[in-house]
Amino acid sequence: MSGVCIAGTGNTFVQITGNGNTVVAGHAYLTLTRFVARRQIRQDLDRLSPYTLSTPLLGREAESASLHTFLNDPRSILARVLIGGGGSGKTRLALELCEKIAGGWNAGFVTRTELRRFFAEQNLSDWGWQKPTLIVVDYAAEHAELLRDWLDELTDRTTEPAHVLRLLLLERHASTETGWWATVFASGGFRAASKRSVLDPPEPVPMRPLVAGDDRLALLKHMLKQASSGPPISTPTDDAALREKLMQLAWGGDPLFVMMAALAMVKLGHTKALSLNRVDLADELAGREADRLKELARSRSLDPALVQHLAACVTLAQGVAREDFEGFAANEKIAIHRPGGGDAAELADVLEEALPRANGIAPILPDLIGGALVLRILRRDARGATVLRCHAAFGRPVIESVIRCAQDFAESSRAPLQWLHRIVDELSENETELASLEASMPIESVVLRDLNLQVAEQLYFLCIAREDGAPDRLAAALHGLAVARAMAGRPEDALQNAQDAVDLYRALAKEQPVVLRPNLAMSLNSLATRLSELGRRESALPVAQEAVALYRALDVEQPDAFRAGLAMSVNNLANRLAELEMREPALQFAREAADKYRALDVDRPDVFRPDLAMALNNLSNRLAESGEFEPAWERAREAVNIRRTLAAELPDEFRPDLAISLHTLSNRLAELGRRAPALQTAQEAVEIYRKLSAGQPDVFRPHLASSLIVLSLRAREVHGAVSAVPIAREAVVALAAVFLQHPGAHSRWMNQIVGDYRQICAAAGQEPDAELLAPLIPHLSDKE
């Protein structure tokens, strides 16, 4: 065991342990861990765990320097949110930081159990830590309510602490408008402003991929050297060729996937391993783990299928204590009709051997491989009976595991989404658990949009049913519902919810202006967007102007906290002005938004690069409307380059944005007479929207239809009008089904697309498809 105990006045000390827990009776204590016990490597899969520190930390010099600056800031209490997809290296980076500062700091991770125990026993407003302290919280969304309360108490202190305290929160996603981040930092009444003031920076910091090819290659070689035994691995002798291949791969910038590829190469060889996608890589290694469990079960005369099944359950639960496991296993054997597969104690013995951890059984790690194994074992359980039993036994960790599984494997399996919908059905009357689930889900995720909507609607219904419902709670529920409905392609409902949220926040802001003006500004921005989506442009403009005025005032008072909100609202206002053909002020505000985001990007490119791309894309459109075609093309090209990089890192989140910018770039190229590249770019946007609309037709078919029209125009310019007719017809078909369900919501889109289709048919000397247009015509207007 490795540990240090530091006791002092104030009845408090902080303790750091490697493995095991040492408690000094009579004192409040917080146990932080650097997971020393997990560093033992028993099998190749252990090498992928961040806790084993099996390879050097490569290519993270900038991130490490930024974190040390965060630690060395003289302010007493600071928090930072670090986000990144599975395999991006968040946990590994935080572990390395803890190792480097361990001599002078109390530094380590706080586990789920310890987080809850300590908060229940200690009032943080009186807590006195005896050294500079860094607390790392992994899977922060799972602890949103508890972290909210922690920060409420920490920022309620009346005395200056003797030493600095840092909170580093790790999660895959975070939105400053809704979800777990808003729960932690934007709730709590008057305390919200104090909590936001401890954020450094104010926005979540995303992990970026490994940029340098040399770092990717070095990581691959480090893992190959460790994992290789027997004959040499078949790899190219030319490092330059291998480096170039790693730079081209969609997953080549994620450290975990590079390490997974190295393990796959040991068995499959270089060519096959580097041809696998993310899902196939995870499934290949999960298959090996399933085989290991099978052989171990057979060696103990136990049922291999039962052992594998229980390992999947433990992984869903993110690890289980032995005593809890034995009771669960005894019941689970009966539930899956395998009563003779071994008694609960024998099953616990074999899984403790296969997946050891202190006082219990560990999940299969990393999460990606654990999730792949869960899908392998439970893929026939479409109804999710096993998942529901696990959730009933082990609670919220199961939900977190299934959410990650849905994000990681949506392209290969819809089972995790089906399981989540079943869990939501089970929780339909549990407001606390539904709120936690909503906070855990990324609102930007295309995969989870329907589930987000289901949860947001149920939370709203529960909120209005409460006899003691607080107005600020209802306003937040309405805002969340507006966002979820807009994301799910229900703009009319979203508009009503957004308007109701603004009305509530406006009334509340009169009573508590310091606390609720930021919420009002945010909801005004959302309302302006909702109005615009339904073609109510004149109404949207004053709402957007009010949002900008509010954010300008907030930025004067707290520039570090609201500079990004101001940039967002200015960008929104530029778009609203452009919709009313007020071109000169629209261009002025678009330039201001791009300048603000570029300044933010200089300081924090890891945070503001997506926002900069958005502002550049909009500025391109405003420049083109003013006849400045060359600079408009330059801004569009820059936006595409940024979004292409982002989409390679996080395709679920950024592919829709890339398609938008490709659409914009195609228009700019056409305006400059560059017809062939304009056609090629339009085709790429269409292909992205085809894939997106296959999974979310209500959301993306309007975008697909619009991009098909652009493609038809580009095809007409290159190949003539006849070639453009079938593409334009496909645009009408793509939108027709969605339009007929919600004609009011999509009338502006359909009027434009049908008009373009008719013009292209006329240019080709053909008649439009009367049968296709017949059901649409009663809903169309002659205004556009």
Side-chain angles (χ1 to χ4, degrees):
M1 188 187 78
S2 168
V4 179
C5 299
I6 303 170
T9 60
N11 205 36
T12 302
F13 71 90
V14 177
Q15 175 191 342
I16 303 176
T17 68
N19 60 332
N21 297 316
T22 300
V23 178
V24 179
H27 291 269
Y29 65 92
L30 175 66
T31 302
L32 303 178
T33 179
R34 299 200 303 277
F35 301 107
V36 174
R38 298 193 191 182
R39 295 184 189 177
Q40 184 177 353
I41 295 175
R42 300 176 178 87
Q43 52 149 337
D44 275 346
L45 206 60
D46 292 335
R47 303 180 194 281
L48 300 177
S49 171
Y51 307 115
T52 61
L53 308 180
S54 61
T55 59
L57 187 68
L58 298 169
R60 296 300 188 195
E61 293 80 9
E63 290 88 344
S64 295
S66 177
L67 284 171
H68 280 282
T69 300
F70 167 68
L71 295 180
N72 295 327
D73 191 292
R75 288 173 286 178
S76 57
I77 300 175
L78 289 178
R80 176 170 293 189
V81 176
L82 187 63
I83 59 173
S88 60
K90 305 180 298 296
T91 304
R92 179 70 173 82
L93 178 64
L95 278 167
E96 191 82 9
L97 180 66
C98 291
E99 288 295 302
K100 287 184 176 179
I101 66 172
W105 287 63
N106 295 327
F109 287 63
V110 60
T111 64
R112 177 189 302 111
T113 303
E114 178 65 3
L115 191 70
R116 292 172 181 168
R117 182 208 60 77
F118 179 68
F119 183 75
E121 296 180 5
Q122 179 71 24
N123 187 323
L124 273 71
S125 62
D126 298 325
W127 181 37
W129 48 97
Q130 282 72 52
K131 291 179 68 174
T133 298
L134 168 65
I135 301 173
V136 183
V137 183
D138 213 349
Y139 305 117
E142 183 179 338
H143 314 294
E145 296 88 351
L146 191 54
L147 289 169
R148 173 196 62 204
D149 296 340
W150 260 45
L151 281 162
D152 281 344
E153 291 190 5
L154 280 171
T155 55
D156 199 32
R157 299 174 61 88
T158 57
T159 59
E160 188 71 12
H163 304 280
V164 299
L165 176 68
R166 299 291 180 261
L167 293 175
L168 182 60
L169 311 183
L170 310 182
E171 191 44 90
R172 289 190 173 199
H173 64 91
S175 167
T176 56
E177 281 198 30
T178 187
W180 77 268
W181 189 99
T183 298
V184 176
F185 295 105
S187 63
F190 68 91
R191 290 167 165 164
S194 297
K195 289 189 292 187
R196 280 194 292 263
S197 70
V198 304
L199 278 165
D200 177 48
E203 291 76 23
V205 178
M207 291 287 289
R208 293 303 177 199
L210 295 178
V211 175
D214 285 341
D215 290 328
R216 300 183 185 189
L217 181 61
L219 181 58
L220 184 78
K221 288 187 169 183
H222 273 293
M223 184 55 65
L224 275 175
K225 185 177 180 180
Q226 290 186 46
S228 300
S229 61
I233 306 302
S234 173
T235 57
T237 55
D238 182 2
D239 278 357
L242 185 54
R243 184 188 303 106
E244 180 62 26
K245 178 66 176 177
L246 290 170
M247 293 301 293
Q248 294 172 354
L249 289 167
W251 47 258
D254 289 335
L256 176 60
F257 283 96
V258 174
M259 296 163 72
M260 288 165 59
L263 292 187
M265 288 168 68
V266 174
K267 180 178 178 180
L268 303 177
H270 155 261
T271 303
K272 178 66 182 296
L274 295 185
S275 69
L276 299 177
N277 61 28
R278 294 172 186 264
V279 171
D280 292 337
L281 264 176
D283 187 63
E284 164 66 23
L285 296 177
R288 297 187 199 180
E289 183 67 357
D291 291 342
R292 183 177 76 91
L293 291 168
K294 181 191 297 183
E295 293 306 313
L296 192 57
R298 285 175 175 167
S299 72
R300 304 294 190 275
S301 299
L302 299 173
D303 181 348
L306 177 58
V307 170
Q308 290 175 330
H309 178 91
L310 292 171
C313 293
V314 169
T315 298
L316 282 172
Q318 300 180 34
V320 178
R322 181 182 176 107
E323 58 271 22
D324 296 331
F325 172 82
E326 289 189 12
F328 176 81
N331 294 327
E332 192 67 10
K333 288 196 307 173
I334 297 170
I336 65 172
H337 310 295
R338 290 183 177 272
D343 67 34
E346 292 173 321
L347 292 164
D349 288 341
V350 75
L351 283 174
E352 277 190 326
E353 180 180 345
L355 303 166
R357 81 169 190 185
N359 304 317
I361 303 165
I364 293 167
L365 295 173
D367 291 335
L368 280 159
I369 297 173
L373 183 131
V374 166
L375 284 178
R376 270 179 166 257
I377 303 303
L378 303 183
R379 58 189 165 194
R380 293 184 179 86
D381 189 5
R383 298 279 303 165
T386 299
V387 175
L388 290 175
R389 290 193 299 272
C390 288
H391 177 251
F394 305 117
R396 193 178 303 177
V398 175
I399 297 177
E400 301 291 335
S401 296
V402 180
I403 288 173
R404 290 193 286 271
C405 204
Q407 291 178 272
D408 291 335
F409 301 103
E411 61 189 82
S412 63
S413 174
R414 292 190 60 81
L417 281 173
Q418 295 167 346
W419 300 340
L420 285 169
H421 281 291
R422 291 293 308 280
I423 290 173
V424 172
D425 290 340
E426 293 281 321
L427 297 175
S428 60
E429 299 301 318
N430 191 326
E431 185 176 358
T432 300
E433 287 299 316
L434 284 174
S436 298
L437 176 55
E438 182 185 48
S440 298
M441 291 189 296
I443 192 66
E444 301 88 355
S445 172
V446 174
V447 171
L448 296 172
R449 279 180 177 173
D450 288 342
L451 187 72
N452 265 311
L453 178 59
Q454 181 186 1
V455 174
E457 288 182 334
Q458 187 59 27
L459 276 172
Y460 170 69
F461 295 141
L462 291 174
C463 190
I464 60 176
R466 289 170 59 102
E467 294 181 0
D468 60 342
D472 58 338
R473 184 194 294 265
L474 178 58
L478 283 163
H479 176 76
L481 184 56
V483 173
R485 282 177 165 170
M487 290 285 191
R490 293 174 55 181
E492 293 166 313
D493 294 335
L495 172 59
Q496 184 60 59
N497 300 142
Q499 182 64 67
D500 291 343
V502 164
D503 292 344
L504 262 177
Y505 275 132
R506 196 186 300 283
L508 291 166
K510 290 179 180 178
E511 301 171 6
Q512 303 180 62
V514 174
V515 177
L516 290 170
R517 277 190 307 157
N519 301 74
L520 175 59
M522 175 184 66
S523 62
L524 285 164
N525 239 348
S526 177
L527 176 59
T529 302
R530 304 290 85 85
L531 287 163
S532 170
E533 289 169 348
L534 286 171
R536 295 175 58 179
R537 299 169 180 175
E538 291 81 4
S539 300
L541 179 58
V543 177
Q545 289 170 326
E546 185 181 358
V548 168
L550 260 177
Y551 271 119
R552 287 203 194 280
L554 289 166
D555 181 56
V556 170
E557 297 166 12
Q558 298 184 59
D560 290 340
F562 295 106
R563 184 75 28 98
L566 174 58
M568 173 187 63
S569 65
V570 168
N571 185 77
N572 190 25
L573 177 56
N575 290 338
R576 305 294 78 83
L577 289 162
E579 289 168 349
L580 295 172
E581 298 186 5
M582 301 171 69
R583 293 179 177 176
E584 185 175 340
L587 178 56
Q588 174 188 341
F589 281 107
R591 289 188 194 276
E592 181 185 352
D595 289 344
K596 288 185 182 301
Y597 276 126
R598 202 179 289 282
L600 288 164
D601 181 65
V602 168
D603 292 334
R604 298 308 307 248
D606 48 353
V607 177
F608 292 107
R609 191 60 48 86
D611 300 297
L612 174 60
M614 171 196 66
L616 289 169
N617 189 85
N618 292 335
L619 178 57
S620 172
N621 289 325
R622 305 294 82 81
L623 287 164
E625 290 163 358
S626 298
E628 300 183 41
F629 297 120
E630 190 72 29
W633 166 72
E634 291 172 355
R635 299 292 84 75
R637 182 180 60 173
E638 187 179 358
V640 164
N641 289 341
I642 293 172
R643 283 176 160 172
R644 197 182 297 282
T645 300
L646 293 169
E649 300 168 23
L650 296 169
D652 181 42
E653 185 172 343
F654 289 113
R655 274 190 306 169
D657 295 335
L658 174 59
I660 290 171
S661 284
L662 287 166
H663 188 152
T664 301
L665 181 59
S666 176
N667 289 336
R668 301 296 87 83
L669 288 164
E671 288 159 357
L672 293 173
R674 300 175 61 183
R675 295 179 175 178
L679 175 61
Q680 181 180 359
T681 303
Q683 183 65 56
E684 185 181 355
V686 165
E687 291 308 313
I688 292 174
Y689 278 130
R690 281 195 207 283
K691 294 177 182 177
L692 292 170
S693 63
Q696 294 276 318
D698 288 350
V699 176
F700 289 110
R701 276 188 180 169
H703 299 279
L704 173 61
S706 180
S707 71
L708 282 164
I709 285 294
V710 172
L711 179 62
S712 70
L713 296 174
R714 300 293 88 83
R716 175 183 175 183
E717 292 161 357
V718 175
H719 301 298
V722 173
S723 69
V725 171
I727 303 174
R729 183 185 183 281
E730 185 186 354
V732 178
V733 171
L735 186 56
V738 177
F739 170 71
L740 290 172
Q741 290 175 5
H742 305 287
H746 300 293
S747 61
R748 185 159 55 96
W749 293 70
M750 186 55 87
N751 271 282
Q752 183 64 52
I753 285 169
V754 168
D756 289 338
Y757 171 53
R758 285 170 167 163
Q759 290 179 9
I760 289 170
C761 287
Q766 299 180 15
E767 289 295 321
D769 185 335
E771 185 177 353
L772 172 63
L773 296 182
L776 308 177
I777 289 173
H779 303 284
L780 299 179
S781 70
D782 297 325
K783 296 178 182 179
E784 298 192 35

